[in-house]
Amino acid sequence: MNMPSQQAESPWQAHAPLMRQPILSLKGMTKQFPGVLALSGVQFDLLPGEVHAVCGENGAGKSTLMKIISGVYQPSSGTLVYKGQPVEFASPLQAEQAGIAIIHQELNLVPHLSVAENIFLAREPRSRVLGLPVLVDRKRLRREAKQHLDRLGVDISPDAMVRTLSVAQCQMVEIAKALSLKAEVLIMDEPTSSLTEQETRLLFKVIHELKASGVGIVYISHRLDEMAEIVDRVTVLRDGKYVGTSDFAATTVDEIVSRMVGRSLDEKFPERQSIPTEDVLLKVKGLNRAGVFSDIDFTLKRGEILGFAGLMGAGRTEVARAIFGADPLDSGEIVFQGERLAIHNPRDAIAHGIAYLSEDRKSQGLALKMPVAANMTLANMQAVSNRFGLVDRKQHDAVARHYVEKLNVRTPSIQQPVRLLSGGNQQKIIIGKWLFRQSKLLFFDEPTRGIDVGAKFAIYKIMDELAASGIGVVLISSELPEILGMTDRVAVFHQGRITAILETRKTNQEEIMRFASGYQGHRP
Ligand SMILES: Nc1ncnc2c1ncn2[C@@H]1O[C@H](COP(=O)(O)OP(=O)(O)OP(=O)(O)O)[C@@H](O)[C@H]1O
Ligand SMILES: [Mg+2]
């Protein structure tokens, strides 16, 4: 029980007195969508020169709040005060012109335009004739785009077509674009979800600079651990409601989490029920792909969870994609259930019961306009069809409901179009879709990215259940605690090679890091 005196000492306050005038201040923000009350009476304020984190579970209302600030949505009720004036932004352009820039969670660059064109979309520098703007000044466009990219320390050509870039590179371009606006308020909705450690470092450096120059920054991320470095204050939302605000230094990650989910989460990982059998499911020998990976050997038993650890770009995803048939192999052998397989494309792999949940989930094709239920079952229609090939509605809906419940998807119904779900909840639909394929071997590539803490636990539990039912699981993850918490063994990658295969019980973070950075020890 909380003693009154303890409550008084809590750093979490609803109306903390501010020492400075906020640049932005929201009161009573409410947003009603058809069937969903996304925000209800939320308050929030932002000081110039502060980094203010907004935390909450998937679907808590974080992105909706940011879209109101940046003019994408208009509130159902509530007030927005910006630089001391009540304002209403009718469009993102209006907010942008007032000095508010946003990096959206779902990246929205134009694929067939160049990086420079994307950065200056609709604001291209033009050369002037008689004082009137005429042609787009291409040279200046490139030069200025490059300056913004250089500031982020990224090596992306301003001339590259956006469709040729990786997700992380797109994210960097979005950030460069936001920087080019020279905004006074900068909103970052999950900017690091697909960045490497090093890219995240560079971003943090830029955040520190912006902060020093007085920009107010809103920072949304499910990676709570990384926040300590940059965040000054944190505001928590739960179910569209305001929970509280605290100085970051005065609270703890556990405290933030318990406010997010409304209870304390003592366990980050479920107790493992699955035990690896002696039955080898997959045996991989001497896989090579020139310039990408070489001499890849490992085995996976039924019921085992094998981790792929390593730095980003070490070849983990590439090996998984090759086994799945998404990329070609130069040489090597894949023996699956005792049979040597020739996999030429993902269709072959799926037919054999091999599934790969990609880290690049955007490209996995959610049918955004279609309902939650249809998206879950789309890849395995025969499982919900009767013997005449007609969809059995009842079974179809039961399957969808099962996964919605299991993955804790926040949606008003299984008929809701997927595009109306929050970012993290869309991710869960893709995971559900793969689970319903009923595979024998499942690669999970960074499955918990962008997923809140509570739902992470649900995904770990599912992974364990899958293994317990005799499926082989490969978990590719950059989060070492996740690897240590969930796997039986871990294969550590460095520059396209496996430098060690370790028993998870007998290893630790330091040892894995050592092998990940290229230490060549013995190979058990
Ligand atoms: N355009 C819309 N129409 C209907 N419902 C919506 C719409 N946009 C968001 N919602 C709903 O509002 C709620 C809040 O969504 P929001 O995107 O703000 O969550 P979030 O906190 O950003 O979550 P995440 O961590 O998953 O990104 C969710 O239940 C979502 O399904
Ligand atoms: Mg969001």
Side-chain angles (χ1 to χ4, degrees):
M1 271 238 287
N2 263 341
M3 304 301 284
S5 64
Q6 276 181 335
Q7 265 177 3
E9 280 167 22
S10 167
W12 290 84
Q13 305 197 18
H15 300 283
L18 291 174
M19 306 305 284
R20 283 177 288 158
Q21 195 63 26
I23 181 164
L24 184 77
S25 158
L26 287 83
K27 280 200 187 62
M29 269 305 153
T30 297
K31 181 67 185 174
Q32 175 82 56
F33 292 115
V36 182
L37 183 59
L39 293 173
S40 142
V42 170
Q43 53 169 307
F44 176 72
D45 55 57
L46 180 69
L47 299 170
E50 85 162 333
V51 179
H52 195 143
V54 178
C55 294
E57 291 182 287
N58 297 131
K62 305 178 297 293
S63 295
T64 303
L65 189 66
M66 296 310 129
K67 285 178 182 169
I68 287 176
I69 297 175
S70 58
V72 179
Y73 293 147
Q74 283 65 53
S76 308
S77 63
T79 55
L80 170 61
V81 175
Y82 179 57
K83 295 193 194 167
Q85 301 291 323
V87 287
E88 279 173 33
F89 296 126
S91 70
L93 191 65
Q94 271 188 15
E96 213 173 275
Q97 282 163 348
I100 299 177
I102 179 165
I103 300 164
H104 283 287
Q105 182 174 15
E106 58 290 336
L107 304 176
N108 37 23
L109 298 173
V110 187
H112 58 270
L113 293 182
S114 74
V115 168
E117 285 165 330
N118 266 281
I119 290 178
F120 289 105
L121 200 64
R123 306 178 286 123
E124 296 89 352
R126 290 175 186 271
S127 48
R128 288 174 174 268
V129 175
L130 301 173
L132 294 172
V134 278
L135 287 176
V136 173
D137 185 345
R138 302 237 140 238
K139 265 207 188 126
R140 220 176 106 204
L141 184 75
R142 290 193 64 246
R143 193 179 59 233
E144 290 187 11
K146 188 156 180 347
Q147 279 169 5
H148 294 298
L149 292 164
D150 284 349
R151 180 163 184 204
L152 286 167
V154 289
D155 187 20
I156 304 172
S157 159
D159 300 320
M161 286 293 141
V162 160
R163 69 179 134 73
T164 65
L165 303 184
S166 71
V167 187
Q169 287 174 322
C170 287
Q171 209 155 25
M172 286 314 237
V173 173
E174 286 270 8
I175 294 165
K177 180 174 178 170
L179 291 180
S180 77
L181 290 168
K182 303 197 173 57
E184 289 171 75
V185 169
L186 180 57
I187 299 166
M188 302 188 168
D189 197 347
E190 302 257 7
T192 60
S193 62
S194 59
L195 297 188
T196 63
E197 283 271 329
Q198 203 196 354
E199 288 164 332
T200 303
R201 296 271 119 234
L202 288 167
L203 177 64
F204 283 5
K205 204 175 127 243
V206 174
I207 289 178
H208 278 295
E209 285 169 24
L210 291 170
K211 199 173 128 150
S213 68
V215 177
I217 297 169
V218 187
Y219 190 84
I220 298 177
S221 172
H222 288 288
R223 295 188 182 172
L224 301 180
D225 297 322
E226 74 183 13
M227 287 188 175
E229 248 177 82
I230 47 163
V231 169
D232 299 301
R233 288 195 300 158
V234 50
T235 287
V236 171
L237 302 181
R238 188 194 320 147
D239 288 336
K241 292 188 198 71
Y242 175 81
V243 175
T245 302
S246 167
D247 277 337
F248 198 84
T251 186
T252 61
V253 168
D254 282 347
E255 174 75 20
I256 295 171
V257 168
S258 82
R259 282 176 193 261
M260 277 167 55
V261 300
R263 65 196 150 85
S264 63
L265 281 186
D266 304 326
E267 298 294 326
K268 287 210 178 94
F269 302 99
E271 184 137 348
R272 285 282 304 277
Q273 305 299 318
S274 53
I275 313 164
T277 62
E278 282 310 306
D279 193 1
V280 173
L281 176 69
L282 174 74
K283 188 170 163 68
V284 163
K285 250 188 105 58
L287 292 194
N288 282 297
R289 184 167 177 221
V292 185
F293 52 78
S294 43
D295 305 329
I296 300 296
D297 294 348
F298 68 88
T299 57
L300 175 69
K301 296 178 182 132
R302 278 182 215 278
E304 184 176 36
I305 304 182
L306 174 68
F308 277 9
L311 303 177
M312 251 171 265
R316 301 166 301 164
T317 291
E318 289 72 11
V319 166
R321 284 177 54 91
I323 296 171
F324 184 61
D327 290 333
L329 272 175
D330 292 335
S331 61
E333 204 176 281
I334 299 168
V335 179
F336 186 60
Q337 305 185 99
E339 184 194 338
R340 189 164 169 185
L341 293 191
I343 295 171
H344 301 293
N345 52 44
R347 210 167 331 127
D348 292 348
I350 291 168
H352 282 106
I354 300 175
Y356 170 63
L357 175 76
S358 148
E359 61 176 337
D360 176 11
R361 284 190 276 272
K362 271 231 136 151
S363 68
Q364 297 241 323
L366 277 179
L368 286 171
K369 290 184 186 154
M370 287 178 49
V372 166
N375 270 283
M376 292 265 199
T377 53
L378 211 53
N380 195 5
M381 285 310 276
Q382 63 276 29
V384 289
S385 302
N386 63 20
R387 61 200 167 94
F388 306 112
L390 295 174
V391 174
D392 179 341
R393 268 285 135 220
K394 245 191 173 157
Q395 205 196 341
H396 173 266
D397 289 1
V399 165
R401 256 186 228 108
H402 173 76
Y403 285 107
V404 161
E405 203 168 301
K406 229 177 153 138
L407 291 165
N408 195 10
V409 178
R410 237 191 91 126
T411 175
S413 85
I414 57 168
Q415 299 312 333
Q416 187 81 339
V418 165
R419 80 185 155 84
L420 300 182
L421 301 192
S422 78
N425 284 305
Q426 291 187 4
Q427 305 244 0
K428 293 181 204 166
I429 305 293
I430 300 171
I431 294 173
K433 179 172 148 181
W434 277 104
L435 292 177
F436 184 54
R437 285 200 183 181
Q438 288 150 346
S439 319
K440 294 174 190 142
L441 164 61
L442 200 63
F443 288 93
F444 281 97
D445 200 346
E446 305 284 358
T448 60
R449 239 184 223 169
I451 302 256
D452 70 52
V453 277
K456 270 185 189 170
F457 191 87
I459 290 172
Y460 297 143
K461 231 178 137 57
I462 290 171
M463 234 179 257
D464 180 45
E465 282 169 23
L466 289 171
S469 74
I471 288 173
V473 175
V474 176
L475 169 61
I476 306 175
S477 174
S478 302
E479 314 232 340
L480 283 182
E482 187 167 283
I483 294 265
L484 290 168
M486 283 309 295
T487 65
D488 298 297
R489 287 183 306 146
V490 47
V492 189
F493 284 66
H494 171 72
Q495 293 183 351
R497 288 170 188 273
I498 294 180
T499 47
I501 295 179
L502 307 164
E503 258 189 78
T504 308
R505 259 185 310 123
K506 295 186 185 153
T507 186
N508 54 40
Q509 205 142 330
E510 290 69 43
E511 190 181 30
I512 295 176
M513 280 311 293
R514 200 146 38 92
F515 283 107
S517 54
Y519 170 79
Q520 299 286 337
H522 64 294
R523 288 184 53 178

